[in-house]
Amino acid sequence: MLGRTDSRGRLFTLMVGLIVVSAALMSRLAYWQVAQHDSLAGMAERQTSIRVEVPSRRGTIYDRSGTVVLASTLERDRLVASADQLDGAQRETVITELGTILGLNDAGRADLAQKMYTAKPYVVLARDLDGAASDRIRAAIVAGRISQVSLEPEATRVSPQAGGAPDTSLAAQLLGFVNREGVGQYGIEQRYQDILAGAPKIQIAQRDARSRPVPESAQVVASGIPGADLRLTIDAGLQFALEQELLAAWVADHPHTISAVVMDPRNGEIYAQASYPSYNANTYASIAASEPGRFMDPVISSVYEPGSVMKMLTTVAGLQTGTITLSTQFNDTGIMKLDGGRTEIADADRKAKGWLQVRDGIAQSRNVIATQIALGLAPTTAQASQELFRVWSQFGLGSTSGIDLAGEVSGLVRDPASQPWRQIDLANGSFGQGVAVTQIQLAVAFSAMVNGGQLVQPHVVKAVGGDEVKPVVRRQVMDAALTPTLVDLMNHVVSSVSFYSSRTLIPGYYVGGKTGTAQIWEPKLNNGQGDWDPDRYSFSFVGFVGRQAGQADLVIAVRVEDARPTVAKAGQLEMPVMSFELFRRIATDAITRPSMIADLPPLTPTTAPIESLAPGATARPTQRIATPAPTGGRP
Amino acid sequence: MTAARPSARALRGTGDRAARDHVAGGRVATGFAAGVRRTPVVPSRAGAFDRERHAPDFSILVAVAALAATGILMVYSSSAMKALLQRDDAMAIVGPQILWAGVGLLVMLIVMRIDYRYLRLLSVPGYVVALGLLALVFVPQFSRVVGGSARWLAIGPLPALHPAEFAKLALVIYLAHWMAKRGTAIKGFWGGTVPFLLIAGAVAALVFKEPDLGTTVVITSTAFVMFYIAGARMRHFVLLGLGGLAVVLAVGLHDYQMERLQAWLNPWADPLGKGFHTIQGLLALGLGGVFGAGLGESRLAGGLFLPNASNDYIFAIIGEEFGLVGAVMVIVLFLVLGYAGIRTAMRAPDTFGALLAAGITAWLCIQAFINIAVVVALIPVTGITLPFISAGGSSLTISFAAVGVLLSISRETNERGSWNDAPDDRGRGNGGTHLPGPRRRPVAQRPTRRA
């Protein structure tokens, strides 16, 4: 036989090797299980536990009366299926049964069939079932006609009030909506998300093998805070009326959008704020893909060139600097050359009207006169620009108003300090072209003119929970003594021009305001350099209505954006419903509502005599300013 | 293939009293087998002696039985919930495991009663069949792809077979046979090293091609251990090691193996992707701590986190449920198996038995330690099972059969230097085989106890 060739020494080496390796394994094991025990166990704990957030009830939103529900949260049923547990025949049964119960058409059935055949363990078949449908489905499940289908309650935000237009909900753009994750989007729902949502109840539970929380292991980490209710400054009745008026005007005028805001100039409360087209917050998902732009509230989120409305601010600047009074006369030349003749501005009808007082120049919306006021604010164009810009900034143009809504934009107002204005820029600014602001900014600025110069902060929430929100006055922007003058001027605007007065004045009430007509800047015109489109206009009216002379109870800002008016004659654009006519309809609705009148302070006799109403009573003599051309600032 | 036959010369040479007693039908009380009853050697036909057989090494049996029992327990603990969810039957995975453990036990009990030398007859056919089965895996209609590699063979109604498992045993038997026959010629380059590489390389290449890197590593390591024990020339051995390393670096690493390497170096770089298995295994170990969460209390085994909880990562579940203590116990059991196996190899009555015992022991221990090293993140993920513990019928049955062979060898162990111990063939370093008998070179005189 053979001798042995296997080596005992080498076998011994092998044994030593095994011992060394196992010692290494054991020490490594001890490292993980003892030294690293805490950190690994912590990681494993985080991985195997599941954090369950049970949302608290979302706060309800009421109107200013505290009785009308604008948005509330309901539990509605969601229909889910374990499609993977069914065979083909069972699926067909489910599809047929559900099709009958839910009253689906062929497209709906096809959609349902497609969901049923995904063969996933969890398929959502339908959401937001109404009570009757839920009951019928429940009955079918109990009767055993359908299987592997169940109903789960789901918090659904509903807007119970119908809006003033078809397929809209009341104040949809103001309120915003709440998405499936319970997060408010747009408007109040977004702005007050934290307050409305409260804090969720947080539980930590172990996961089972199907990754679902084990109820017995759940520990409450945070007990949660229920969402607070909001009471708005919105008057539901006025809001509804406003929406109806906007729809009617939209149908008549066919602009791109039409929007209006009604606010209390004394404290900044918004009584109503609406636009058309709007949407139905209950079915927001249906337009989320096609027209998400409708979710934005044009009153706060869309800037535009307001046009002649801005002449009021030019006038304020003139009055504040003392360079004019309402009686100061300017020569309306119809067309005015600027910047040494290289640029020109013109009145809408390009006709010279001769010497006009400021009040009439503003009433007839003469661009040339507004330009002359602006150019005359200071000796040089640069100083005059600074002066006008300072007034704009003071009155809150170009900065957010601080309204408690999500998505407010600040506007586009160029600061002459960063880039000096030419004369044409100053002229355009004086009658509201080349400057983009929001409607809410204009409403707030006009409120300051009529309330004694206080720049109020507009707001839509009157009370959070039970706590009243205190109105905020941002600053004093104007000498309070100017208010009667401005109120008078605005009244003069709508009463002296027959074109306006026939469609603006309300018998028994005191109204005033300023119209604005601006061409729309179209970037595609002028070979892509952009120019004002001669056919498309945005019409504005910002005005007030009061119960007695010299008093402004409500400020209303109306905007008809991107309309194509008919030209009755040069400089006179006709629409079926003019902006000031719409203003009158809204004002009538507002001022005659019993609830609104109850909210307004009691009538007090007019204290100060209105200086401008009494000719000759002005401290300043009537003067004529013949030449608008300032000495400085010429190129 | 004959038993060590006591010759008069050997008896005289040793002058061993025990041996003489033995021949005389007395009882042997040597240092090793104290208290072990040895069957008397009865002259059989043609003057041959029946080999002396005694009770097997029960420590091997105990270690293996403990490991297999642990395995059934842990497979159940780690698979019950998953099986219940997926197949509506908590016993779906552990049921076959119990069945296969029974079959394996039976195979072991039979094999341990058969003279392991008969395996020499089966070694060449077994090796050829193993190669054939491994090649058959590449025939699409027979192979069943599991986890991205075609490792399973499904022929007709037979239960799916893992040919690499069978190949391990076949290769160990054939290598032991071939090396024993080679004798000192194993030291030669053309006579030893090259044929060795061809024999082991064929199997390793086929397994690598499946691809099954883990099993390739086990097979290669086992073959090299046997080559080493059989007396390979160290110079060749070292060169082979370096060459192998170069081959691995040059061509052996696929992209996915590079990814595994990176996942090993920093598993937390990609905790949900490549590092997932490693991290989940470590988390399970960390949850266990020193004393463990208790049987059936594993949180990671449910199927969400450790996808291979009852296979490759069962050791992590042991660590989670029984803690450091339980995990070390398992390592110790394998160490006991290793120690007893090597002791068997040292005392095996012939070279074939020694190499076979060493090969089987090395295979089982290497596979176990690689598996454990993967779980404790000492080496990159390779994907092999823990012998006797991981779920898997082929692996369990073949491992039991291998232990049966080991036990069979352990029944014939004797003290080195006793009368029926084969003499050391020291050779002369020329690779020539030393053959006893007339016309053959004389066998070197072995040292006696007295000397």
Side-chain angles (χ1 to χ4, degrees), chain A residues 1 3-4 6-8 10 28 32-33 37 43 45 47, chain B residues 228 232 268 280 285-286 319 324 348 376-377 416 423 425 436:
Chain A
M1 68 152 285
R4 297 293 291 266
D6 58 301
S7 160
R8 298 175 74 187
R10 289 185 177 188
R28 182 76 164 168
W32 293 120
Q33 298 207 277
H37 169 66
M43 284 171 75
E45 202 69 51
Q47 179 180 281
Chain B
Y228 173 72
W268 272 273
Q280 295 303 323
L285 293 178
L324 180 65
V376 299
R416 278 270 164 131
D425 183 350

PDB file of all heavy atoms in Angstrom, chain A residues 1 3-4 6-8 10 28 32-33 37 43 45 47, chain B residues 228 232 268 280 285-286 319 324 348 376-377 416 423 425 436:
ATOM      1  N   MET A   1       0.836  -1.208   0.000  1.00  0.00           N
ATOM      2  CA  MET A   1       0.000   0.000   0.000  1.00  0.00           C
ATOM      3  C   MET A   1       0.862   1.244   0.000  1.00  0.00           C
ATOM      4  O   MET A   1       2.069   1.208   0.195  1.00  0.00           O
ATOM      5  CB  MET A   1      -0.893  -0.017   1.231  1.00  0.00           C
ATOM      6  CG  MET A   1      -0.107   0.140   2.525  1.00  0.00           C
ATOM      7  SD  MET A   1      -1.098   0.894   3.786  1.00  0.00           S
ATOM      8  CE  MET A   1      -1.109   2.573   3.233  1.00  0.00           C
ATOM      9  N   GLY A   3       2.185   4.809   1.340  1.00  0.00           N
ATOM     10  CA  GLY A   3       2.387   5.483   2.612  1.00  0.00           C
ATOM     11  C   GLY A   3       1.524   6.719   2.693  1.00  0.00           C
ATOM     12  O   GLY A   3       0.846   7.089   1.739  1.00  0.00           O
ATOM     13  N   ARG A   4       1.573   7.318   3.839  1.00  0.00           N
ATOM     14  CA  ARG A   4       0.753   8.510   4.025  1.00  0.00           C
ATOM     15  C   ARG A   4       1.421   9.709   3.398  1.00  0.00           C
ATOM     16  O   ARG A   4       2.596   9.963   3.597  1.00  0.00           O
ATOM     17  CB  ARG A   4       0.569   8.778   5.524  1.00  0.00           C
ATOM     18  CG  ARG A   4      -0.165   7.697   6.253  1.00  0.00           C
ATOM     19  CD  ARG A   4      -1.605   7.637   5.795  1.00  0.00           C
ATOM     20  NE  ARG A   4      -2.367   8.787   6.206  1.00  0.00           N
ATOM     21  CZ  ARG A   4      -3.082   8.820   7.313  1.00  0.00           C
ATOM     22  NH1 ARG A   4      -3.110   7.778   8.120  1.00  0.00           N
ATOM     23  NH2 ARG A   4      -3.764   9.873   7.633  1.00  0.00           N
ATOM     24  N   ASP A   6      -0.630  12.710   3.346  1.00  0.00           N
ATOM     25  CA  ASP A   6      -1.285  13.860   3.960  1.00  0.00           C
ATOM     26  C   ASP A   6      -0.452  14.339   5.133  1.00  0.00           C
ATOM     27  O   ASP A   6       0.158  13.552   5.844  1.00  0.00           O
ATOM     28  CB  ASP A   6      -2.684  13.498   4.411  1.00  0.00           C
ATOM     29  CG  ASP A   6      -2.678  12.351   5.383  1.00  0.00           C
ATOM     30  OD1 ASP A   6      -2.186  11.280   4.988  1.00  0.00           O
ATOM     31  OD2 ASP A   6      -3.139  12.528   6.522  1.00  0.00           O
ATOM     32  N   SER A   7      -0.461  15.651   5.286  1.00  0.00           N
ATOM     33  CA  SER A   7       0.459  16.220   6.270  1.00  0.00           C
ATOM     34  C   SER A   7      -0.290  16.584   7.547  1.00  0.00           C
ATOM     35  O   SER A   7      -1.255  17.334   7.518  1.00  0.00           O
ATOM     36  CB  SER A   7       1.103  17.480   5.673  1.00  0.00           C
ATOM     37  OG  SER A   7       1.599  18.277   6.710  1.00  0.00           O
ATOM     38  N   ARG A   8       0.185  16.021   8.646  1.00  0.00           N
ATOM     39  CA  ARG A   8      -0.447  16.361   9.924  1.00  0.00           C
ATOM     40  C   ARG A   8      -0.165  17.808  10.289  1.00  0.00           C
ATOM     41  O   ARG A   8      -1.011  18.500  10.843  1.00  0.00           O
ATOM     42  CB  ARG A   8       0.086  15.437  11.018  1.00  0.00           C
ATOM     43  CG  ARG A   8      -0.236  14.000  10.744  1.00  0.00           C
ATOM     44  CD  ARG A   8       0.402  13.128  11.782  1.00  0.00           C
ATOM     45  NE  ARG A   8      -0.322  13.223  13.059  1.00  0.00           N
ATOM     46  CZ  ARG A   8       0.124  12.650  14.181  1.00  0.00           C
ATOM     47  NH1 ARG A   8       1.263  11.999  14.185  1.00  0.00           N
ATOM     48  NH2 ARG A   8      -0.572  12.735  15.277  1.00  0.00           N
ATOM     49  N   ARG A  10       0.177  20.258   8.287  1.00  0.00           N
ATOM     50  CA  ARG A  10      -0.680  21.165   7.512  1.00  0.00           C
ATOM     51  C   ARG A  10      -2.125  21.095   7.997  1.00  0.00           C
ATOM     52  O   ARG A  10      -2.836  22.101   7.971  1.00  0.00           O
ATOM     53  CB  ARG A  10      -0.569  20.837   6.030  1.00  0.00           C
ATOM     54  CG  ARG A  10       0.797  21.244   5.486  1.00  0.00           C
ATOM     55  CD  ARG A  10       0.922  21.043   4.007  1.00  0.00           C
ATOM     56  NE  ARG A  10       2.216  21.523   3.557  1.00  0.00           N
ATOM     57  CZ  ARG A  10       2.571  21.615   2.280  1.00  0.00           C
ATOM     58  NH1 ARG A  10       1.723  21.254   1.330  1.00  0.00           N
ATOM     59  NH2 ARG A  10       3.764  22.071   1.945  1.00  0.00           N
ATOM     60  N   ARG A  28     -15.990  40.450  15.411  1.00  0.00           N
ATOM     61  CA  ARG A  28     -16.782  41.336  14.562  1.00  0.00           C
ATOM     62  C   ARG A  28     -18.251  41.315  15.003  1.00  0.00           C
ATOM     63  O   ARG A  28     -18.921  42.353  15.053  1.00  0.00           O
ATOM     64  CB  ARG A  28     -16.645  40.860  13.114  1.00  0.00           C
ATOM     65  CG  ARG A  28     -17.372  41.700  12.100  1.00  0.00           C
ATOM     66  CD  ARG A  28     -16.662  43.003  11.805  1.00  0.00           C
ATOM     67  NE  ARG A  28     -17.161  43.608  10.584  1.00  0.00           N
ATOM     68  CZ  ARG A  28     -16.902  44.842  10.198  1.00  0.00           C
ATOM     69  NH1 ARG A  28     -16.126  45.605  10.941  1.00  0.00           N
ATOM     70  NH2 ARG A  28     -17.390  45.323   9.089  1.00  0.00           N
ATOM     71  N   TRP A  32     -20.661  44.483  16.379  1.00  0.00           N
ATOM     72  CA  TRP A  32     -21.992  44.918  15.930  1.00  0.00           C
ATOM     73  C   TRP A  32     -23.032  44.775  17.042  1.00  0.00           C
ATOM     74  O   TRP A  32     -23.890  45.628  17.215  1.00  0.00           O
ATOM     75  CB  TRP A  32     -22.461  44.113  14.718  1.00  0.00           C
ATOM     76  CG  TRP A  32     -21.680  44.343  13.467  1.00  0.00           C
ATOM     77  CD1 TRP A  32     -20.978  43.413  12.758  1.00  0.00           C
ATOM     78  CD2 TRP A  32     -21.512  45.561  12.765  1.00  0.00           C
ATOM     79  NE1 TRP A  32     -20.395  43.986  11.660  1.00  0.00           N
ATOM     80  CE2 TRP A  32     -20.695  45.301  11.639  1.00  0.00           C
ATOM     81  CE3 TRP A  32     -21.958  46.863  12.972  1.00  0.00           C
ATOM     82  CZ2 TRP A  32     -20.330  46.291  10.727  1.00  0.00           C
ATOM     83  CZ3 TRP A  32     -21.589  47.835  12.056  1.00  0.00           C
ATOM     84  CH2 TRP A  32     -20.783  47.548  10.957  1.00  0.00           C
ATOM     85  N   GLN A  33     -22.962  43.676  17.769  1.00  0.00           N
ATOM     86  CA  GLN A  33     -24.054  43.391  18.695  1.00  0.00           C
ATOM     87  C   GLN A  33     -23.883  44.062  20.046  1.00  0.00           C
ATOM     88  O   GLN A  33     -24.866  44.205  20.760  1.00  0.00           O
ATOM     89  CB  GLN A  33     -24.207  41.879  18.881  1.00  0.00           C
ATOM     90  CG  GLN A  33     -24.557  41.188  17.577  1.00  0.00           C
ATOM     91  CD  GLN A  33     -25.311  39.911  17.783  1.00  0.00           C
ATOM     92  OE1 GLN A  33     -24.697  38.874  18.027  1.00  0.00           O
ATOM     93  NE2 GLN A  33     -26.618  39.971  17.675  1.00  0.00           N
ATOM     94  N   HIS A  37     -24.611  48.261  19.236  1.00  0.00           N
ATOM     95  CA  HIS A  37     -25.984  47.840  19.506  1.00  0.00           C
ATOM     96  C   HIS A  37     -26.959  49.007  19.497  1.00  0.00           C
ATOM     97  O   HIS A  37     -27.976  48.977  18.810  1.00  0.00           O
ATOM     98  CB  HIS A  37     -26.035  47.122  20.863  1.00  0.00           C
ATOM     99  CG  HIS A  37     -27.428  46.879  21.355  1.00  0.00           C
ATOM    100  ND1 HIS A  37     -28.291  46.032  20.708  1.00  0.00           N
ATOM    101  CD2 HIS A  37     -28.104  47.381  22.407  1.00  0.00           C
ATOM    102  CE1 HIS A  37     -29.438  46.015  21.354  1.00  0.00           C
ATOM    103  NE2 HIS A  37     -29.359  46.824  22.377  1.00  0.00           N
ATOM    104  N   MET A  43     -31.586  52.564  14.546  1.00  0.00           N
ATOM    105  CA  MET A  43     -31.915  52.613  13.122  1.00  0.00           C
ATOM    106  C   MET A  43     -33.002  51.599  12.788  1.00  0.00           C
ATOM    107  O   MET A  43     -33.931  51.892  12.036  1.00  0.00           O
ATOM    108  CB  MET A  43     -30.669  52.310  12.289  1.00  0.00           C
ATOM    109  CG  MET A  43     -29.704  53.452  12.215  1.00  0.00           C
ATOM    110  SD  MET A  43     -28.159  52.936  11.456  1.00  0.00           S
ATOM    111  CE  MET A  43     -28.651  52.849   9.760  1.00  0.00           C
ATOM    112  N   GLU A  45     -35.183  50.423  14.752  1.00  0.00           N
ATOM    113  CA  GLU A  45     -36.435  50.877  15.353  1.00  0.00           C
ATOM    114  C   GLU A  45     -37.140  51.870  14.426  1.00  0.00           C
ATOM    115  O   GLU A  45     -38.336  51.767  14.174  1.00  0.00           O
ATOM    116  CB  GLU A  45     -36.111  51.556  16.689  1.00  0.00           C
ATOM    117  CG  GLU A  45     -37.248  51.615  17.669  1.00  0.00           C
ATOM    118  CD  GLU A  45     -37.602  50.247  18.204  1.00  0.00           C
ATOM    119  OE1 GLU A  45     -36.690  49.519  18.665  1.00  0.00           O
ATOM    120  OE2 GLU A  45     -38.775  49.907  18.143  1.00  0.00           O
ATOM    121  N   GLN A  47     -36.769  52.086  11.337  1.00  0.00           N
ATOM    122  CA  GLN A  47     -37.172  51.433  10.100  1.00  0.00           C
ATOM    123  C   GLN A  47     -38.410  50.572  10.288  1.00  0.00           C
ATOM    124  O   GLN A  47     -39.261  50.492   9.407  1.00  0.00           O
ATOM    125  CB  GLN A  47     -36.014  50.573   9.607  1.00  0.00           C
ATOM    126  CG  GLN A  47     -36.295  49.829   8.343  1.00  0.00           C
ATOM    127  CD  GLN A  47     -35.102  49.000   7.941  1.00  0.00           C
ATOM    128  OE1 GLN A  47     -34.131  49.480   7.389  1.00  0.00           O
ATOM    129  NE2 GLN A  47     -35.162  47.741   8.240  1.00  0.00           N
TER     130      GLN A  47
ATOM    131  N   TYR B 228      -3.218  21.549  -0.415  1.00  0.00           N
ATOM    132  CA  TYR B 228      -2.237  21.922   0.608  1.00  0.00           C
ATOM    133  C   TYR B 228      -1.987  20.760   1.548  1.00  0.00           C
ATOM    134  O   TYR B 228      -0.847  20.374   1.820  1.00  0.00           O
ATOM    135  CB  TYR B 228      -2.772  23.145   1.342  1.00  0.00           C
ATOM    136  CG  TYR B 228      -1.988  23.584   2.555  1.00  0.00           C
ATOM    137  CD1 TYR B 228      -0.732  24.186   2.422  1.00  0.00           C
ATOM    138  CD2 TYR B 228      -2.523  23.433   3.834  1.00  0.00           C
ATOM    139  CE1 TYR B 228      -0.033  24.605   3.532  1.00  0.00           C
ATOM    140  CE2 TYR B 228      -1.821  23.847   4.949  1.00  0.00           C
ATOM    141  CZ  TYR B 228      -0.575  24.428   4.795  1.00  0.00           C
ATOM    142  OH  TYR B 228       0.112  24.841   5.890  1.00  0.00           O
ATOM    143  N   ALA B 232       1.141  19.707  -1.319  1.00  0.00           N
ATOM    144  CA  ALA B 232       1.554  20.526  -2.459  1.00  0.00           C
ATOM    145  C   ALA B 232       2.852  21.237  -2.137  1.00  0.00           C
ATOM    146  O   ALA B 232       3.135  21.559  -0.984  1.00  0.00           O
ATOM    147  CB  ALA B 232       0.463  21.554  -2.764  1.00  0.00           C
ATOM    148  N   TRP B 268     -23.693  52.130   3.657  1.00  0.00           N
ATOM    149  CA  TRP B 268     -24.632  53.234   3.896  1.00  0.00           C
ATOM    150  C   TRP B 268     -24.646  54.261   2.775  1.00  0.00           C
ATOM    151  O   TRP B 268     -25.406  55.208   2.821  1.00  0.00           O
ATOM    152  CB  TRP B 268     -24.336  53.899   5.240  1.00  0.00           C
ATOM    153  CG  TRP B 268     -25.074  53.232   6.343  1.00  0.00           C
ATOM    154  CD1 TRP B 268     -26.345  53.521   6.750  1.00  0.00           C
ATOM    155  CD2 TRP B 268     -24.648  52.157   7.168  1.00  0.00           C
ATOM    156  NE1 TRP B 268     -26.714  52.667   7.761  1.00  0.00           N
ATOM    157  CE2 TRP B 268     -25.701  51.839   8.046  1.00  0.00           C
ATOM    158  CE3 TRP B 268     -23.470  51.409   7.234  1.00  0.00           C
ATOM    159  CZ2 TRP B 268     -25.615  50.823   8.990  1.00  0.00           C
ATOM    160  CZ3 TRP B 268     -23.382  50.397   8.177  1.00  0.00           C
ATOM    161  CH2 TRP B 268     -24.449  50.111   9.047  1.00  0.00           C
ATOM    162  N   GLN B 280     -29.432  45.667   6.345  1.00  0.00           N
ATOM    163  CA  GLN B 280     -30.527  44.978   7.031  1.00  0.00           C
ATOM    164  C   GLN B 280     -29.983  43.874   7.931  1.00  0.00           C
ATOM    165  O   GLN B 280     -30.475  43.652   9.036  1.00  0.00           O
ATOM    166  CB  GLN B 280     -31.513  44.404   6.018  1.00  0.00           C
ATOM    167  CG  GLN B 280     -32.234  45.460   5.189  1.00  0.00           C
ATOM    168  CD  GLN B 280     -32.974  46.465   6.034  1.00  0.00           C
ATOM    169  OE1 GLN B 280     -33.540  46.136   7.048  1.00  0.00           O
ATOM    170  NE2 GLN B 280     -32.932  47.726   5.633  1.00  0.00           N
ATOM    171  N   LEU B 285     -28.640  42.180  13.555  1.00  0.00           N
ATOM    172  CA  LEU B 285     -27.662  41.854  14.590  1.00  0.00           C
ATOM    173  C   LEU B 285     -27.725  42.870  15.723  1.00  0.00           C
ATOM    174  O   LEU B 285     -27.714  42.514  16.908  1.00  0.00           O
ATOM    175  CB  LEU B 285     -26.253  41.836  14.002  1.00  0.00           C
ATOM    176  CG  LEU B 285     -25.945  40.723  13.001  1.00  0.00           C
ATOM    177  CD1 LEU B 285     -24.529  40.872  12.481  1.00  0.00           C
ATOM    178  CD2 LEU B 285     -26.129  39.359  13.645  1.00  0.00           C
ATOM    179  N   GLY B 286     -27.804  44.145  15.325  1.00  0.00           N
ATOM    180  CA  GLY B 286     -27.831  45.200  16.336  1.00  0.00           C
ATOM    181  C   GLY B 286     -29.053  45.096  17.231  1.00  0.00           C
ATOM    182  O   GLY B 286     -28.960  45.298  18.443  1.00  0.00           O
ATOM    183  N   GLY B 319     -28.750  35.979  15.103  1.00  0.00           N
ATOM    184  CA  GLY B 319     -28.182  37.034  15.933  1.00  0.00           C
ATOM    185  C   GLY B 319     -29.248  37.917  16.540  1.00  0.00           C
ATOM    186  O   GLY B 319     -29.105  38.415  17.654  1.00  0.00           O
ATOM    187  N   LEU B 324     -25.864  37.823  20.729  1.00  0.00           N
ATOM    188  CA  LEU B 324     -24.456  37.456  20.567  1.00  0.00           C
ATOM    189  C   LEU B 324     -24.216  36.039  21.064  1.00  0.00           C
ATOM    190  O   LEU B 324     -23.483  35.267  20.452  1.00  0.00           O
ATOM    191  CB  LEU B 324     -23.595  38.459  21.342  1.00  0.00           C
ATOM    192  CG  LEU B 324     -22.096  38.234  21.302  1.00  0.00           C
ATOM    193  CD1 LEU B 324     -21.572  38.424  19.889  1.00  0.00           C
ATOM    194  CD2 LEU B 324     -21.389  39.189  22.250  1.00  0.00           C
ATOM    195  N   ALA B 348      -7.058   9.451  10.426  1.00  0.00           N
ATOM    196  CA  ALA B 348      -7.638   8.558   9.431  1.00  0.00           C
ATOM    197  C   ALA B 348      -6.648   7.459   9.118  1.00  0.00           C
ATOM    198  O   ALA B 348      -5.437   7.668   9.168  1.00  0.00           O
ATOM    199  CB  ALA B 348      -7.976   9.348   8.170  1.00  0.00           C
ATOM    200  N   VAL B 376     -21.712  39.575   8.865  1.00  0.00           N
ATOM    201  CA  VAL B 376     -21.111  40.568   9.763  1.00  0.00           C
ATOM    202  C   VAL B 376     -20.292  41.606   8.999  1.00  0.00           C
ATOM    203  O   VAL B 376     -19.558  42.371   9.584  1.00  0.00           O
ATOM    204  CB  VAL B 376     -20.224  39.911  10.853  1.00  0.00           C
ATOM    205  CG1 VAL B 376     -21.053  38.989  11.719  1.00  0.00           C
ATOM    206  CG2 VAL B 376     -19.058  39.174  10.238  1.00  0.00           C
ATOM    207  N   ALA B 377     -20.449  41.591   7.660  1.00  0.00           N
ATOM    208  CA  ALA B 377     -19.838  42.613   6.799  1.00  0.00           C
ATOM    209  C   ALA B 377     -18.322  42.601   6.858  1.00  0.00           C
ATOM    210  O   ALA B 377     -17.686  43.642   6.795  1.00  0.00           O
ATOM    211  CB  ALA B 377     -20.385  44.004   7.122  1.00  0.00           C
ATOM    212  N   ARG B 416      -2.095   7.740  15.596  1.00  0.00           N
ATOM    213  CA  ARG B 416      -0.949   7.703  14.690  1.00  0.00           C
ATOM    214  C   ARG B 416       0.155   6.892  15.343  1.00  0.00           C
ATOM    215  O   ARG B 416       0.430   7.045  16.523  1.00  0.00           O
ATOM    216  CB  ARG B 416      -0.447   9.127  14.421  1.00  0.00           C
ATOM    217  CG  ARG B 416      -1.240   9.839  13.352  1.00  0.00           C
ATOM    218  CD  ARG B 416      -0.632   9.588  11.981  1.00  0.00           C
ATOM    219  NE  ARG B 416      -1.583   9.953  10.942  1.00  0.00           N
ATOM    220  CZ  ARG B 416      -1.234  10.731   9.914  1.00  0.00           C
ATOM    221  NH1 ARG B 416      -0.018  11.195   9.812  1.00  0.00           N
ATOM    222  NH2 ARG B 416      -2.119  10.993   8.993  1.00  0.00           N
ATOM    223  N   PRO B 423       2.228   3.931   7.143  1.00  0.00           N
ATOM    224  CA  PRO B 423       3.478   4.668   7.351  1.00  0.00           C
ATOM    225  C   PRO B 423       3.479   5.957   6.545  1.00  0.00           C
ATOM    226  O   PRO B 423       2.869   6.054   5.492  1.00  0.00           O
ATOM    227  CB  PRO B 423       4.534   3.701   6.840  1.00  0.00           C
ATOM    228  CG  PRO B 423       3.806   2.853   5.847  1.00  0.00           C
ATOM    229  CD  PRO B 423       2.400   2.723   6.350  1.00  0.00           C
ATOM    230  N   ASP B 425       4.667   8.426   3.998  1.00  0.00           N
ATOM    231  CA  ASP B 425       5.450   8.331   2.766  1.00  0.00           C
ATOM    232  C   ASP B 425       6.161   9.651   2.598  1.00  0.00           C
ATOM    233  O   ASP B 425       5.591  10.639   2.158  1.00  0.00           O
ATOM    234  CB  ASP B 425       4.501   8.052   1.596  1.00  0.00           C
ATOM    235  CG  ASP B 425       5.280   7.870   0.314  1.00  0.00           C
ATOM    236  OD1 ASP B 425       6.500   8.140   0.308  1.00  0.00           O
ATOM    237  OD2 ASP B 425       4.648   7.446  -0.669  1.00  0.00           O
ATOM    238  N   PRO B 436       5.138  -0.025  -2.012  1.00  0.00           N
ATOM    239  CA  PRO B 436       5.760  -1.081  -1.212  1.00  0.00           C
ATOM    240  C   PRO B 436       5.834  -2.402  -1.996  1.00  0.00           C
ATOM    241  O   PRO B 436       5.260  -2.511  -3.075  1.00  0.00           O
ATOM    242  CB  PRO B 436       4.811  -1.199  -0.016  1.00  0.00           C
ATOM    243  CG  PRO B 436       3.481  -0.751  -0.534  1.00  0.00           C
ATOM    244  CD  PRO B 436       3.749   0.223  -1.628  1.00  0.00           C
TER     245      PRO B 436
END
